[in-house]
C-alpha cells in the first residue's frame, strides 16, 4: 500500500470512529506529540514532516512534539521561549544577548554567548536553517505548527544537530480570502498589534501578508541613566506567494523582515536570600584590613568606589546598578528570502528549498553589571555580529517494489559568512579597581589601602613601604607596575574583527522498508563535509599591559615565591583577556576541515492499528570550529621551553598560537525504545533514551575569560586528578601540582556526557470541548566521573573541577507539564467560552556551566492562564490572560561577576567545596516576572 493510500485509510478510519479530537493538539503540544491529533471537526489528524515526507504523527517512530497554532495562541507563545510550557524535554533561555539564546533538549544544548559555537538544537523556519537558535527569539507571526524533534538528527534536518531540532512552519497563503487581527495590552505598558491577510490573486496564485508590532517597557529600572532595560520595541513582516499551476507543482516564495531596537540584557548581584551558599561573600571587609574568614575585600573596594551596598542584598528586586553613560542599547535586523518547489514527477517527488538570510545584531552593555565602570561594550554601528547564509536542499523521494520501499535521497549545501566586530573595553574605573583589588588582597599591603589615591595606596607611605618590603630593585618595579595598572582607563579593543566562512555540504538517504504490513525498518545515512576559514584582526590601545610586562616579567624568575606571586598578579590584572597593545594591527588566520558519517536505524512494529513500538539508533554530529575570542590565544603568563613568558613575541607571535582557538566536532550515539498508543480520545507516548556525547563542546566564563573545552571521559581512574586545584591551599582538594594531574591516555578517552531517562506524554479528550494533556521527562544528564579536556586526554581545566559525576547546567532531572482547555458553548447564541491553563514544574538544577554551588536554582512551578469569550465561528474574541501567574522569581543563568573576585583564600574559608570560586561574587539574569493583559481578536 503506498503512502497516500495508507494516509487516506487512516484518516477514514478515524472519521468512522467519530473521533472529534484524537488528542489535545489544540490545547498543548500536539502532545499529539507522539499520538494522533485531529481538529474540532474530526476531519484530520496532525501531519508532520520529521522524516522528510508527510506522515501521521502517530505513525512516526521518532520522539517528536508537534505544537499546534491554537496551543501557541493559548499559551501566549510569540517566540520559541514559550514552548517551554508545552514541551517538557525542551528548555529555551536567553542571557547576556538575545542574539545567542540557547535551546536545550534532554539537558543538552550549546552553552554560552559565543557565535563560533553552532547550535546543538538548531532552528528551521519553513525548512530554512537559521544560523543560531537565538535567532528564533524573534516574533514568529502566524504559525501553522512547531515540531520539536528530540535526540540527534543524523540524516535529515538540513544541518546536523546533536541534541534535536525545532522546526517552525508558518501559515501558507490560501485561495480563499481571509483576514485576521489582534490587539493586546498588558502591564509594563505592553502593546502588541498583529494582523494578516490572505487570498487569491489569480486561479493559480495566492498571497499572504502578516505583520506584528510590539512595544513594552523593560523589566529592569536603571535609575542612574533614567531608563528601563529588557524592554520590547520590534516589528515583523512576512509576505508570501503560492503558485500552484497544477496538482503536480507547487511553488512557495517567502520574504520576511524583522527589526528590533531594544535594551538588553541587565543582571543583578546574587545574595544569600536568593542562594544560601553565597554565605558571607557579599560582606565587605573592614577598611585598611585584610579580608577575614567572613568578609570579602572586593565588596569593600566596590562600595568605596561607588557601588551602593544595598545592591548586594536586594534579592530579586529589579533595580539595576549601571555606570553613568553606559547603555544596553541594541539593534537587530533579520531578513531573508526562500523558495520551496514541490514537483510530483509521477514516479518520484522533487522538493527544493532555497534560502538566503542576513542577520545583524549589535548589543551594547555595561558588562560588569555594576555601578563601578569596569568593563563595557559601547553602542556603535561598527560593533555587531552578522551572518550571511545561503542554503540549498534538494530531496527526491518515491516508492519502489509495489510500495514496499519508501525511498528518499537528497543533498544539502550551506555557505555561511560570519563577521563579529567588537569594541570590548576596560571601563573608566578598571585600573583603580584592579589596583585596589591587588592591594586589599595582599595582607601586608592592606594597611596601605587608599581608594581615592593614585595606585590605591597612601601617597608617600605606600610606595616606600612596598620598596622596603620587596627591596629597591623589585619594589620600584612593583610601584611602577601598580601606577601603570592604575592608569588603565577606557582602554582595550577599538574594533576587533573576526571573520569565519563556513562551507558545508552533505549527501543523504533516508529509506523506509515495509517488511510486512505491521513491521517497518527505517535506515538513513548522511555524509557531511564541513570546511571553515577563519581570520581575525585586532586593534588595541592598552599600552599599560606592555609597560607592566617590561617591568615585571623578569621577576617571574625570582627565587622568592612572594615576589613571583606579586609580579604575576599585577601582570594578570594589567593584561586580562589578552587585552594588549602588542596585538594592535596584528592579524591571524587559520582553517579547518572535517567530514563525518552519521545516520539512523529504526525498527518499528504495529501489533494493532492503535499501537506502535519501536527501537532506534542514531549517530549525530555538531561541527567543530573556532573560539571567536582573543583571550583563548594564550594565558597572561605562558610557559615556553620551561620558562614563564608574558608577551606574544616570546611565544612565537599570535599566528603561532592560533591553533589554540580550534575545538573538535561533537559526536553522539543515541539509543531509544518507544511506544505510541492512540485511540479515540486517549493518547499515550513513552520513550526511553540514552545518548553518549564525545567531545562535548563547553563554553564557560571563569570571571575573567571564556574557556572552551571539548569534554571527554576517561575509562581509567584519574584518582581525583580532574577535581583537584592549586589555588586554595586550605581546601581539601589542594594539590600544588594540580596543573599536571588528570591526564588520560588517548586510547582510554571516550564519551564525556551521557543523558538517559524517559519521556511520558498523555492526552485525554473526554468530551468535544474539554481537553487535557500531561507530560513528564526524567533525564539524568551527567558528566562521567573521570573527565579530560579534549580527545587527546589533556587535563580538564581546573575551573571545571566541579563537573565530574554531576548533572550538566540547566538540566533538571524532572520536568512535568500539563494543560487544560475548556471551550464550552454559551447557550444557543453561537458564543463559546475559553478557559485555558498550563503549567511547568521543574526540579532543582544548576544554571552555571562550571556548576558552582552559588549558581544553583531551586525547583519551581510556572503557570499561565487565559479566559475568554468568542463569537460565532470565532469571528471575534476577547481574552484575559496572565503568564507566570504566581510571579515566581528565579534566575535563568547565574554567572561570575566580571573581574570581581576578592583575595585568594589561604584557609578553609572561601575555598572548596562550598566556594570553588573563592571570594568571587556572582550575578544573575532573572526570568520574566508576572505579566497580564487583555487581547481582542477578529477574523473574517
Amino acid at each position: 500500500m503506498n503512502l497516500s493510500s495508507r494516509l487516506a485509510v487512516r484518516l477514514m478510519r478515524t472519521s468512522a470512529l467519530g473521533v472529534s479530537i484524537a488528542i489535545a493538539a489544540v490545547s498543548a503540544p500536539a502532545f499529539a506529540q507522539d499520538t494522533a491529533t485531529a481538529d474540532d471537526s474530526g476531519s484530520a489528524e496532525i501531519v508532520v514532516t520529521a522524516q522528510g515526507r508527510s506522515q501521521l504523527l502517530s505513525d512516526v517512530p521518532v520522539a517528536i512534539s508537534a505544537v499546534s497554532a491554537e496551543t501557541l495562541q493559548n499559551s501566549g507563545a510569540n517566540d520559541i521561549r514559550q514552548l517551554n510550557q508545552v514541551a517538557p524535554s525542551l528548555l529555551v533561555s536567553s542571557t547576556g544577548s538575545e542574539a545567542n539564546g540557547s535551546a536545550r533538549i534532554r539537558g543538552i544544548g550549546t552553552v554560552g554567548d559565543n557565535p563560533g559555537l553552532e547550535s546543538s538544537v538548531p532552528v528551521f523556519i519553513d525548512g530554512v536553517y537559521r544560523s543560531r537558535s537565538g535567532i528564533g527569539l524573534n516574533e514568529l507571526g502566524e504559525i501553522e505548527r512547531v515540531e520539536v524533534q528530540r535526540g540527534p538528527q543524523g540524516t535529515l534536518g538540513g544541518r546536523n544537530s546533536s541534541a534535536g531540532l525545532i522546526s517552525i512552519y508558518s501559515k501558507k497563503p490560501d485561495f480563499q480570502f481571509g483576514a485576521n487581527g489582534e490587539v493586546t495590552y498588558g502591564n509594563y505598558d505592553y502593546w502588541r498589534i498583529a494582523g494578516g491577510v490572505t487570498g487569491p490573486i489569480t486561479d493559480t496564485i495566492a498571497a499572504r501578508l502578516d505583520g506584528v508590532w510590539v512595544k513594552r517597557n523593560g523589566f529592569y529600572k536603571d535609575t542612574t541613566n533614567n531608563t528601563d532595560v529588557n524592554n520590547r520595541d520590534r516589528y515583523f513582516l512576512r509576505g508570501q506567494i503560492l503558485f500552484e499551476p497544477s496538482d503536480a507543482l507547487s511553488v512557495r516564495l517567502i520574504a520576511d523582515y524583522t527589526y528590533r531596537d531594544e535594551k538588553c540584557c541587565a543582571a543583578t548581584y546574587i545574595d544569600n536570600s536568593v542562594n544560601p551558599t553565597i554565605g558571607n561573600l557579599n560582606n565587605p571587609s573592614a577598611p585598611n584590613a585584610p579580608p577575614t574568614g567572613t568578609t570579602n575585600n572586593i565588596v569593600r573596594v566596590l562600595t568605596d568606589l561607588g557601588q551602593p551596598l544595598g545592591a548586594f542584598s536586594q534579592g530579586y528586586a529589579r533595580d539595576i546598578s549601571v555606570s553613568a553613560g553606559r547603555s544596553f542599547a541594541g539593534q537587530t535586523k533579520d531578513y531573508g528570502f526562500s523558495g520551496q518547489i514541490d514537483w510530483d514527477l509521477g514516479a518520484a517527488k522533487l522538493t527544493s528549498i532555497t534560502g538566503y538570510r542576513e542577520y545583524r545584531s549589535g548589543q551594547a552593555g555595561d558588562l560588569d553589571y555594576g555601578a563601578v565602570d569596569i568593563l563595557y561594550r559601547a553602542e556603535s554601528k561598527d560593533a555587531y555580529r552578522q551572518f550571511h547564509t545561503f542554503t540549498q536542499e534538494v530531496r527526491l523521494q518515491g516508492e519502489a517494489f509495489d510500495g514496499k520501499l519508501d525511498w528518499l535521497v537528497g543533498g544539502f549545501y550551506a555557505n555561511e559568512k560570519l563577521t563579529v566586530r567588537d569594541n570590548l573595553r576596560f571601563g573608566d574605573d578598571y585600573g583603580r579597581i584592579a589596583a585596589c583589588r591587588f592591594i586589599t588582597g595582599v595582607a601586608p599591603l592592606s594597611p596601605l589601602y587608599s581608594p581615592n589615591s593614585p595606585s590605591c595606596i597612601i601617597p608617600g607611605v605606600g610606595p616606600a613601604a612596598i620598596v622596603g618590603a620587596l627591596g629597591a630593585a623589585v619594589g620600584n618595579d612593583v610601584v611602577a607596575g601598580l601606577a601603570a595598572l592604575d592608569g588603565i582607563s577606557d582602554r582595550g579593543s577599538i574594533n576587533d574583527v573576526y571573520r569565519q566562512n563556513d562551507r558545508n555540504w552533505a549527501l543523504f538517504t533516508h529509506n523506509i522498508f515495509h517488511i510486512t504490513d505491521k513491521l517497518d525498518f527505517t535506515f538513513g545515512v548522511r555524509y557531511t563535509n564541513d570546511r571553515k576559514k577563519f581570520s581575525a584582526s585586532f586593534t588595541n590601545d592598552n599600552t599599560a599591559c606592555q609597560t607592566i610586562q617590561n617591568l615585571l616579567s623578569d621577576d617571574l624568575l625570582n627565587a622568592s615565591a612572594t615576589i613571583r606571586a606579586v609580579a604575576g598578579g599585577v601582570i594578570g590584572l594589567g593584561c586580562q583577556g589578552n587585552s594588549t597593545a602588542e596585538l594592535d594591527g596584528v592579524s591571524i588566520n587559520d582553517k579547518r576541515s572535517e567530514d563525518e558519517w552519521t545516520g539512523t536505524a529504526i525498527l518499528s512494529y504495529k501489533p494493532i492499528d492503535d499501537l506502535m513500538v519501536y527501537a532506534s539508533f542514531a549517530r549525530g554530529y555538531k561541527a567543530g570550529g573556532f573560539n571567536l575570542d582573543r583571550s583563548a590565544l594564550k594565558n597572561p603568563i605562558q610557559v615556553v621551553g620551561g620558562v614563564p613568558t608574558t608577551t606574544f613575541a616570546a611565544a612565537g607571535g599570535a599566528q603561532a598560537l592560533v591553533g589554540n582557538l580550534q575545538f573538535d566536532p561533537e559526536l553522539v550515539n543515541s539509543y531509544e525504545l518507544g511506544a505510541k498508543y492512540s485511540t479515540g480520545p486517549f493518547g499515550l507516548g513513552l520513550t526511553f533514551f540514552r545518548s553518549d556525547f564525545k567531545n562535548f563542546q563547553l563554553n564557560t566564563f571563569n570571571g575573567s575569560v571564556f574557556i572552551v573545552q571539548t569534554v571527554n571521559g576517561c575509562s581509567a581512574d584519574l584518582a581525583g586528578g580532574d577535581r583537584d586545584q592549586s589555588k586554595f591551599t586550605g581546601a581539601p582538594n589542594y594539590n600544588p601540582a594540580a596543573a599536571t594531574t588528570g591526564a588520560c591516555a588517548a586510547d582510554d578517552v571516550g564519551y564525556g556526557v551521557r543523558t538517559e531517562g524517559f519521556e511520558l506524554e498523555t492526552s485525554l479528550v473526554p468530551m468535544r470541548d474539554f481537553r487535557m494533556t500531561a507530560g513528564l521527562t526524567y533525564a539524568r544528564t551527567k558528566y562521567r566521573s573521570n573527565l579530560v579536556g579534549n580527545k587527546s586526554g589533556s587535563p580538564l581545566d581546573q575551573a571545571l573541577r566541579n563537573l565530574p559525576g554531576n548533572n550538566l547546567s540547566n538540566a533538571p532531572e524532572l520536568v512535568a507539564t500539563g494543560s487544560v482547555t475548556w471551550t464550552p458553548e454559551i447557550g444557543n447564541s453561537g458564543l463559546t467560552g475559553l478557559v485555558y491553563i498550563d503549567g511547568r514544574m521543574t526540579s532543582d538544577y544548576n544554571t552555571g556551566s562550571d556548576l558552582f554551588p552559588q549558581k544553583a536554582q531551586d525547583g519551581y512551578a510556572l503557570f499561565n492562564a487565559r479566559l475568554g469569550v468568542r463569537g460565532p465561528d470565532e469571528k471575534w474574541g476577547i481574552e484575559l490572560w496572565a503568564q507566570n501567574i504566581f510571579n515566581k522569581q528565579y534566575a535563568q543563568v547565574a554567572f561570575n561577576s566580571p573581574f570581581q573576585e576578592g583575595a585568594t583564600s589561604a584557609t578553609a574559608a572561601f575555598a572548596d567545596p562550598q566556594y570553588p570560586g573563592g571570594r568571587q561574587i556572582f550575578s544573575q539574569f532573572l526570568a520574566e516576572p508576572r505579566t497580564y493583559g487583555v487581547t481582542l481578536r477578529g477574523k473574517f
Side-chain angles (χ1 to χ4, degrees):
M1 183 181 295
N2 63 30
L3 177 62
S4 59
S5 298
R6 293 172 66 238
L7 186 62
V9 169
R10 178 65 169 154
L11 295 178
M12 291 171 63
R13 176 184 171 279
T14 300
S15 297
L17 287 173
V19 178
S20 62
I21 301 177
I23 69 168
V26 186
S27 68
F31 248 142
Q33 172 155 302
D34 290 334
T35 49
T37 303
D39 61 20
D40 280 342
S41 67
S43 62
E45 290 189 78
I46 205 164
V47 175
V48 297
T49 56
Q51 296 196 115
R53 65 271 281 172
S54 295
Q55 294 176 286
L56 297 175
L57 186 60
S58 56
D59 287 342
V60 180
V62 297
I64 176 176
S65 301
V67 186
S68 70
E70 192 164 349
T71 299
L72 295 169
Q73 177 177 297
N74 288 340
S75 66
N78 299 320
D79 60 44
I80 63 174
R81 268 174 300 206
Q82 279 78 28
L83 295 176
N84 294 341
Q85 287 296 105
V86 293
S89 294
L90 176 69
L91 177 63
V92 182
S93 60
S94 60
T95 53
S97 168
E98 289 207 348
N100 210 37
S102 177
R104 294 171 174 84
I105 290 178
R106 297 171 176 169
I108 300 293
T110 299
V111 178
D113 185 16
N114 188 325
L117 278 73
E118 298 181 9
S119 300
S120 300
V121 184
V123 172
F124 294 80
I125 300 180
D126 292 318
V128 177
Y129 169 73
R130 300 302 175 95
S131 293
R132 299 296 181 267
S133 59
I135 296 173
L137 298 179
N138 287 331
E139 292 288 325
L140 300 176
E142 287 292 304
I143 298 300
E144 184 67 33
R145 71 182 187 281
V146 178
E147 296 179 13
V148 181
Q149 294 176 242
R150 307 190 298 277
Q153 308 301 310
T155 306
L156 302 172
R159 291 292 291 265
N160 278 277
S161 56
S162 57
L165 63 83
I166 300 172
S167 294
I168 300 168
Y169 297 92
S170 64
K171 288 187 177 180
K172 294 182 178 180
D174 200 307
F175 281 93
Q176 276 193 320
F177 179 77
N180 65 281
E182 67 176 66
V183 177
T184 295
Y185 182 75
N187 60 334
Y188 295 95
D189 201 22
Y190 171 58
W191 284 97
R192 185 176 189 271
I193 301 174
V197 61
T198 186
I201 296 177
T202 69
D203 291 342
T204 59
I205 300 176
R208 183 179 189 95
L209 180 64
D210 295 299
V212 182
W213 174 82
V214 179
K215 194 159 188 176
R216 190 205 67 207
N217 292 339
F219 295 136
Y220 293 96
K221 183 63 178 178
D222 171 9
T223 56
T224 300
N225 297 292
N226 192 31
T227 188
D228 50 88
V229 182
N230 285 39
N231 66 323
R232 290 283 183 269
D233 189 355
R234 58 180 65 174
Y235 64 86
F236 164 83
L237 292 171
R238 178 170 57 224
Q240 302 183 60
I241 295 289
L242 179 63
F243 175 49
E244 293 185 342
S246 69
D247 293 339
L249 180 62
S250 173
V251 180
R252 185 184 182 192
L253 304 177
I254 305 173
D256 66 89
Y257 182 87
T258 295
Y259 179 77
R260 307 192 322 195
D261 185 2
E262 300 170 350
K263 295 184 283 291
C264 188
C265 301
T268 62
Y269 288 111
I270 304 175
D271 64 34
N272 53 22
S273 72
V274 171
N275 187 321
T277 64
I278 291 292
N280 296 311
L281 264 179
N282 294 356
N283 294 343
S285 58
N288 299 98
T292 69
T294 59
T295 62
N296 193 345
N297 63 302
I298 194 66
V299 179
R300 163 58 57 192
V301 171
L302 288 168
T303 54
D304 285 347
L305 294 179
Q307 175 63 53
L309 184 60
F312 297 109
S313 59
Q314 70 178 55
Y316 288 108
R318 295 173 185 265
D319 293 324
I320 57 175
S321 300
V322 182
S323 301
R326 300 299 180 217
S327 170
F328 289 94
Q331 292 185 343
T332 298
K333 295 180 182 179
D334 177 25
Y335 59 92
F337 315 90
S338 68
Q340 178 168 337
I341 301 173
D342 293 296
W343 191 6
D344 190 341
L345 303 173
K349 180 180 178 180
L350 176 69
T351 297
S352 171
I353 302 175
T354 306
Y356 178 76
R357 306 291 313 172
E358 292 197 9
Y359 176 88
R360 177 166 169 163
S361 178
Q363 190 74 61
D366 187 351
L367 300 182
D368 51 71
Y369 303 99
V372 182
D373 194 18
I374 303 172
L375 185 70
Y376 77 99
R377 181 174 286 118
E379 182 179 5
S380 170
K381 62 181 178 60
D382 293 324
Y384 55 82
R385 62 183 60 180
Q386 177 176 274
F387 292 92
H388 289 181
T389 309
F390 171 80
T391 58
Q392 174 66 58
E393 182 170 1
V394 177
R395 300 192 301 264
L396 186 68
Q397 64 189 86
E399 296 180 345
F401 308 116
D402 296 324
K404 289 289 186 180
L405 173 62
D406 181 0
W407 58 268
L408 182 152
V409 295
F412 178 81
Y413 174 80
N415 192 319
E416 176 187 276
K417 296 180 179 179
L418 167 61
T419 302
V420 177
R421 301 175 74 105
D422 201 7
N423 58 1
L424 183 68
R425 294 175 70 80
F426 295 128
D428 291 341
D429 301 324
Y430 176 81
R432 179 57 50 86
I433 195 171
C436 290
R437 172 182 167 183
F438 177 78
I439 293 297
T440 58
V442 179
L445 300 181
S446 57
L448 307 176
Y449 172 64
S450 178
N452 297 316
S453 301
S455 300
C456 199
I457 52 179
I458 300 172
V461 176
I466 292 174
V467 171
L470 300 178
V474 175
N476 285 323
D477 285 349
V478 171
V479 170
L482 276 174
L485 176 64
D486 185 58
I488 299 178
S489 177
D490 195 17
R491 290 290 182 266
S493 295
I494 301 168
N495 194 345
D496 292 345
V497 181
Y498 300 85
R499 289 188 172 90
Q500 178 179 280
N501 178 227
D502 180 10
R503 184 223 60 195
N504 177 289
W505 63 269
L507 300 174
F508 55 86
T509 181
H510 188 275
N511 308 286
I512 304 174
F513 300 90
H514 305 297
I515 300 172
T516 70
D517 289 342
K518 297 179 179 293
L519 183 65
D520 285 353
F521 175 66
T522 302
F523 175 75
V525 65
R526 181 187 186 102
Y527 172 79
T528 300
N529 182 279
D530 190 269
R531 182 211 65 192
K532 288 184 171 74
K533 292 183 177 181
F534 163 83
S535 65
S537 58
F538 305 105
T539 53
N540 195 290
D541 58 4
N542 182 23
T543 56
C545 172
Q546 292 172 293
T547 300
I548 294 169
Q549 289 170 337
N550 292 334
L551 288 167
L552 297 175
S553 290
D554 59 333
D555 296 318
L556 296 174
L557 300 173
N558 196 286
S560 168
T562 299
I563 290 175
R564 293 198 303 270
V566 167
V570 177
I571 291 170
L573 290 169
C575 304
Q576 293 269 22
N578 290 322
S579 179
T580 171
E582 186 184 4
L583 286 179
D584 190 47
V586 172
S587 296
I588 57 176
N589 63 83
D590 202 0
K591 61 182 179 180
R592 59 174 289 120
S593 63
E594 60 200 34
D595 52 9
E596 199 66 44
W597 289 93
T598 56
T600 187
I602 309 170
L603 189 65
S604 59
Y605 179 63
K606 300 193 73 170
I608 58 176
D609 287 342
D610 298 321
L611 174 65
M612 179 178 66
V613 295
Y614 66 92
S616 69
F617 167 79
R619 179 171 175 82
Y621 154 78
K622 183 173 75 167
F626 295 93
N627 180 4
L628 306 185
D629 186 347
R630 65 162 190 259
S631 67
L633 284 168
K634 74 174 189 67
N635 295 319
I637 300 173
Q638 186 92 355
V639 177
V640 178
V643 177
T645 64
T646 60
T647 66
F648 278 93
Q655 181 60 42
L657 300 168
V658 71
N660 292 336
L661 301 182
Q662 290 202 32
F663 55 86
D664 292 322
E666 184 174 288
L667 303 171
V668 54
N669 291 330
S670 182
Y671 311 85
E672 289 187 6
L673 293 173
K676 300 183 180 185
Y677 180 74
S678 174
T679 178
F682 179 70
L684 177 69
L686 177 63
T687 304
F688 294 91
F689 61 87
R690 171 182 284 184
S691 299
D692 293 335
F693 290 79
K694 189 174 182 180
N695 298 333
F696 179 74
Q697 297 170 1
L698 183 66
N699 185 27
T700 301
F701 180 62
N702 69 359
S704 300
V705 297
F706 284 92
I707 301 167
V708 175
Q709 286 205 308
T710 48
V711 178
N712 284 292
C714 181
S715 59
D717 185 1
L718 298 178
D722 54 347
R723 309 180 193 213
D724 58 5
Q725 51 80 31
S726 56
K727 185 174 182 178
F728 305 114
T729 57
N733 62 342
Y734 173 71
N735 179 358
T740 62
T741 63
C744 178
D747 291 342
D748 292 331
V749 174
Y751 75 91
V753 170
R754 169 174 287 176
T755 178
E756 59 184 350
F758 68 86
E759 296 158 325
L760 175 66
E761 294 148 329
T762 184
S763 59
L764 178 65
V765 186
M767 64 182 75
R768 181 181 180 88
D769 58 4
F770 191 83
R771 313 171 188 94
M772 298 183 294
T773 69
L776 175 68
T777 295
Y778 172 73
R780 293 181 75 245
T781 308
K782 300 176 74 73
Y783 293 102
R784 286 181 74 176
S785 295
N786 294 281
L787 296 180
V788 293
N790 57 35
K791 65 181 180 182
S792 300
S794 298
L796 191 71
D797 191 284
Q798 289 185 43
L800 306 178
R801 61 188 181 277
N802 271 21
L803 270 56
N806 286 319
N807 285 4
L808 273 68
S809 61
N810 289 287
E813 289 195 0
L814 278 172
V815 178
T817 60
S819 69
V820 175
T821 305
W822 184 33
T823 54
E825 295 181 358
I826 302 176
N828 298 318
S829 62
L831 300 179
T832 57
L834 170 65
V835 179
Y836 173 84
I837 185 167
D838 65 42
R840 177 185 175 102
M841 288 162 281
T842 301
S843 64
D844 300 349
Y845 60 95
N846 195 301
T847 69
S849 54
D850 53 14
L851 303 183
F852 284 7
Q854 290 73 27
K855 302 175 184 180
Q857 170 62 53
D858 289 338
Y860 56 89
L862 299 176
F863 295 92
N864 302 330
R866 191 170 291 260
L867 300 174
V869 177
R870 304 179 295 187
D873 300 321
E874 298 185 27
K875 294 296 185 183
W876 58 267
I878 180 171
E879 299 168 1
L880 301 175
W881 55 267
Q883 297 193 28
N884 190 4
I885 297 172
F886 301 109
N887 199 30
K888 179 61 184 177
Q889 304 283 358
Y890 65 100
Q892 293 192 82
V893 168
F895 59 96
N896 297 25
S897 304
F899 304 143
Q900 295 169 66
E901 180 183 354
T904 300
S905 174
T907 68
F910 295 114
D912 292 63
Q914 182 177 343
Y915 295 100
R919 288 188 173 88
Q920 169 70 55
I921 60 176
F922 299 91
S923 301
Q924 60 187 343
F925 296 112
L926 297 176
E928 294 186 356
R930 175 173 52 219
T931 55
Y932 51 86
V934 60
T935 297
L936 303 177
R937 304 185 192 277
K939 67 178 182 179
F940 60 90

